[in-house]
Amino acid sequence: MENLKGSQLDRVEKVLTYPTVNNEASANRAGSLATTSGTANVQASFTAVNPVDVYRAHISKELAPLTGVDAIEIYPRLQWTQTLDKGDVVLPVPALRIKGKKPNDLAVELAEKFPESDLIEKPVVAGTSLQFWFKPAPLTKFVLSSILKEKAGYGTNARLGLKDPSDPMKGKKRIVIEFSSPNIAKPFHAGHLRSTIIGGFLANVYEAAGWEVIRMNYLGDWGRQFGLLAKAFEMYGSEEKLKTDPIGHLYDIYVEINKVSKPEEDEIAEKKKELQEAKAKGEDTGDLESQIMALESKSTNEKARKYFKRMEEGDKEALALWERFRDLSIDKYQKTYARLNIFYDYYSGESQVKPESMDAAAEQLEKTGVSEKSEGAVIVDLTKDPKTKKFGKALVKKRDGSTLYLTRDIGAAVERWQKFHFDQMIYVVASQQDLHLAQLFKILELMGHSDIRERCQHVNFGMVLGMSTRRGTVKFLDDILRDVGDKMHEVMQRNQAKYEQVEDPKQTADTLGITAVMVQDMTGKRVNNYEFSLERMTSFEGDTGPYLQYAHARLCSITRKAGLSSEELASADLSLLTEDKAIDLVRALCQWPDVVQNTLKTLEPVTVLSYLFKMTHMLSSSYDKLKVVGSEPELKKARMALYEAARQVLHNGMRILGLNPVER
């Protein structure tokens, strides 16, 4: 089995194949996850990108005559296993839908009749399922050779992103991912971090799957809050402070003016409550209504509303101040994104939506009878249809004619469709906005834009608890990253010998700190809320960001000490890797392409993260058994090839998560 040419492994590659693809790196970007180089010829077959698919094809081919089910039908039903003790792939026999036999009896029969194979052990029956175990020798050679050859491309699959896999000339599918989307003139706080991390991750995953990815930041740069901020600057602003610390100063005055507006709004709310009670009792409400009107007319929020109305009407003075706040904020955001390894193809925003797009949307809503007038405002009443009753009534235009977030979102969606003709568009927005996105999608459909609606998806997430911009209790991301980076630097200095080997310890500490923050955020499922905790974030106990970085740095250290070239690793005799620890590690590395493909379904960072932690735990327990330095030369080469393959997969996984792996 040492020479696999002419074996079943070589033959089954011909079972299920697709045409050759010329796969251009997405926009020739540095660090693109789609290929290992700017231009690469990829054999877009199952077998070229995923070693496990060779085995799936082989199993399907052997089972077809035994079951009477076509191999193409069997293939997708062969599932990857969560734990190695359940085999390498498993087939739920009931999924074959073979009538006339009980699934458990059929499983036993298929196991007995499955022919001898160079690649697969005899199937093991587990209830109504068949567990398949790959033979170690051919698997080890095939998997490690694939990883060492493909490098950063191992796990990617350009075929998944093709519009038509049978005709690559039709090009790639295109996806727009809107993520981060902070509010202008407010600090980028940890509440925005979730959208940024998840959106960056999704962009990387789709790029690894061969899609053309358009990363978009839809800034909150329009609305009444800018009127409020303008009033705040008028009352509390300082030109000197604005120049030296623009974001901090704008935030401070925003908090101050909310201290004024909040009591006013509370008083108005109390008066409105009294009004409702008086109406219920049939009492005269004229005096109360006059009081409410007087309070509203002189309130800070009313002044802010009028200022924003000036902005909407194109008042040059009002827009000049807004543009200044916007430019200062974007400059700050770009610096923060650079630290997080995030970039964008487009900086858009609510202000960029054309008035004519919103007018066209309003006209279409009215023409189709979707919208109606209600007390001077324009609404879409989704309660009329029992299927959408839970979506309530959506306000699309205020009584004074000013636009709303929903109005601008409708216009933005149509504009994006006209500009990009996307195959899919993902909104990475907090679960607090579930209703808003549901209303948006439904209204697009009712307007006659089903072609847009069916391509839109809301990827939601829970909140970071214990933070509020309005009350001044927010913890700013730059402060968090600084504190965590300082903590990492302190820990690094405890080992002076290793510390002195690091070329730029402050930069490395900063990278470790960012990793700690990001991994904490990705550890649970997206929809889960979590309490912000600097203590937990900086912990070295359990599965943490610093642990992942340590695992990668340790593999890099082994590589340096071994002193073997890539040519020497390529010539290693991999048949020497017979220990259980080595075989199980190979089996885990084999799963990586399936993990990436499965992540396209879950859209969960934790899918990748859980795999990486599982794999690094296996690595950690193998070092004592599989020593490199001091081993016999050929064994040293084989083990180093194994460790280099593991390092490459860990590196690939960390890059998809948006992390920068450190080497020391």
Side-chain angles (χ1 to χ4, degrees), residues 12-21 41-54 57 75 142 150 156-160 162 165 168 593 597:
V12 294
E13 289 188 354
K14 299 170 185 174
V15 174
L16 297 167
T17 59
Y18 286 84
T20 300
V21 178
N41 286 319
V42 179
Q43 177 63 28
S45 65
F46 293 116
T47 58
V49 294
N50 187 349
V52 177
D53 286 332
V54 173
Y75 184 94
F142 189 33
E150 296 296 326
T156 66
N157 187 344
R159 183 185 64 82
L160 297 175
L162 293 174
Q597 192 161 339

Side-chain angles (χ1 to χ4, degrees), residues 549-575:
Q549 291 284 17
Y550 169 76
H552 187 268
R554 185 170 183 180
L555 287 166
C556 291
S557 175
I558 293 171
T559 300
R560 288 191 297 270
K561 289 176 181 176
L564 296 171
S565 68
S566 56
E567 290 77 18
E568 287 175 299
L569 296 183
S571 67
D573 181 1
L574 301 177
S575 67

Side-chain angles (χ1 to χ4, degrees), residues 6-196:
S7 70
Q8 284 176 306
L9 178 60
D10 197 38
R11 293 194 299 274
V12 294
E13 289 188 354
K14 299 170 185 174
V15 174
L16 297 167
T17 59
Y18 286 84
T20 300
V21 178
N22 186 37
N23 182 26
E24 296 285 341
S26 178
N28 291 320
R29 289 194 191 104
S32 170
L33 297 167
T35 57
T36 55
S37 62
T39 303
N41 286 319
V42 179
Q43 177 63 28
S45 65
F46 293 116
T47 58
V49 294
N50 187 349
V52 177
D53 286 332
V54 173
Y55 291 83
R56 286 194 181 97
H58 174 56
I59 294 168
S60 302
K61 179 172 171 286
E62 298 295 353
L63 283 176
L66 302 180
T67 59
V69 179
D70 195 285
I72 296 292
E73 296 295 320
I74 297 172
Y75 184 94
R77 289 165 174 76
L78 288 163
Q79 304 169 359
W80 66 309
T81 60
Q82 294 291 336
T83 55
L84 295 178
D85 61 336
K86 292 181 172 60
D88 294 295
V89 293
V90 63
L91 174 68
V93 173
L96 297 178
R97 298 178 181 176
I98 297 173
K99 297 178 181 179
K101 290 185 180 179
K102 292 181 179 178
N104 51 342
D105 292 339
L106 184 56
V108 172
E109 181 185 325
L110 292 175
E112 290 173 351
K113 290 182 178 179
F114 195 86
E116 286 294 324
S117 165
D118 292 342
L119 304 179
I120 310 285
E121 305 284 2
K122 268 288 186 182
V124 175
V125 178
T128 61
S129 294
L130 285 178
Q131 296 174 348
F132 293 91
W133 302 69
F134 304 160
K135 287 189 174 179
L139 179 72
T140 298
K141 182 165 184 177
F142 189 33
V143 172
L144 298 190
S145 297
S146 296
I147 297 170
L148 295 176
K149 180 183 176 183
E150 296 296 326
K151 300 187 186 307
Y154 181 69
T156 66
N157 187 344
R159 183 185 64 82
L160 297 175
L162 293 174
K163 289 180 181 291
D164 182 355
S166 66
D167 184 5
M169 296 305 293
K170 291 182 180 177
K172 297 178 179 182
K173 289 183 280 190
R174 178 179 292 164
I175 184 169
V176 175
I177 303 180
E178 177 200 301
F179 64 105
S180 191
S181 305
N183 294 311
I184 290 296
K186 297 182 190 178
F188 189 113
H189 64 81
H192 293 125
L193 185 64
R194 301 214 73 181
S195 177
T196 307

Side-chain angles (χ1 to χ4, degrees), residues 390-586:
K390 60 183 179 181
F391 295 160
K393 297 178 181 181
L395 183 63
V396 292
K397 191 173 280 189
K398 290 184 178 180
R399 279 179 290 183
D400 63 3
S402 60
T403 59
L404 287 155
Y405 194 74
L406 180 60
T407 323
R408 295 189 285 275
D409 272 355
I410 294 168
V414 175
E415 283 184 9
R416 291 177 196 177
W417 171 245
Q418 292 169 344
K419 181 171 184 174
F420 298 115
H421 296 288
F422 49 80
D423 296 279
Q424 190 174 350
M425 179 161 65
I426 288 178
Y427 294 80
V428 186
V429 183
S431 54
Q432 288 181 327
Q433 298 296 319
D434 283 356
L435 176 61
H436 172 78
L437 269 299
Q439 288 177 337
L440 170 64
F441 295 165
K442 189 62 186 177
I443 290 171
L444 283 169
E445 180 186 319
L446 293 173
M447 287 173 65
H449 290 304
S450 295
D451 50 348
I452 301 177
R453 165 62 191 101
E454 65 190 17
R455 290 170 170 84
C456 291
Q457 182 179 2
H458 176 203
V459 172
N460 63 358
F461 55 88
M463 297 304 295
V464 185
L465 303 177
M467 297 182 182
S468 169
T469 305
R470 292 203 168 199
R471 302 294 175 262
T473 57
V474 70
K475 295 175 182 177
F476 302 148
L477 183 61
D478 284 341
D479 296 333
I480 295 166
L481 297 182
R482 184 199 62 233
D483 292 347
V484 179
D486 288 346
K487 177 82 170 179
M488 294 297 126
H489 191 231
E490 176 191 317
V491 172
M492 287 165 61
Q493 287 176 306
R494 292 174 190 169
N495 189 327
Q496 199 61 33
K498 288 188 177 180
Y499 181 80
E500 290 172 357
Q501 294 174 15
V502 180
E503 189 174 327
D504 188 344
K506 288 290 288 182
Q507 179 58 48
T508 300
D510 186 63
T511 301
L512 289 174
I514 289 169
T515 303
V517 173
M518 293 177 73
V519 168
Q520 178 195 249
D521 195 89
M522 293 186 284
T523 299
K525 286 198 170 183
R526 282 186 286 101
V527 294
N528 294 341
N529 297 338
Y530 74 86
E531 192 74 37
F532 177 82
S533 169
L534 186 62
E535 195 60 37
R536 184 175 67 233
M537 189 184 296
T538 56
S539 173
F540 282 83
E541 298 295 322
D543 295 338
T544 65
Y547 173 80
L548 268 190
Q549 291 284 17
Y550 169 76
H552 187 268
R554 185 170 183 180
L555 287 166
C556 291
S557 175
I558 293 171
T559 300
R560 288 191 297 270
K561 289 176 181 176
L564 296 171
S565 68
S566 56
E567 290 77 18
E568 287 175 299
L569 296 183
S571 67
D573 181 1
L574 301 177
S575 67
L576 298 175
L577 298 172
T578 57
E579 300 88 350
D580 288 345
K581 292 283 186 184
I583 292 165
D584 281 349
L585 186 53
V586 170

Side-chain angles (χ1 to χ4, degrees), residues 622-634:
S622 72
Y623 291 132
D624 288 341
K625 301 285 185 183
L626 306 174
K627 292 182 178 178
V628 173
V629 179
S631 297
E632 180 270 323
E634 286 303 314

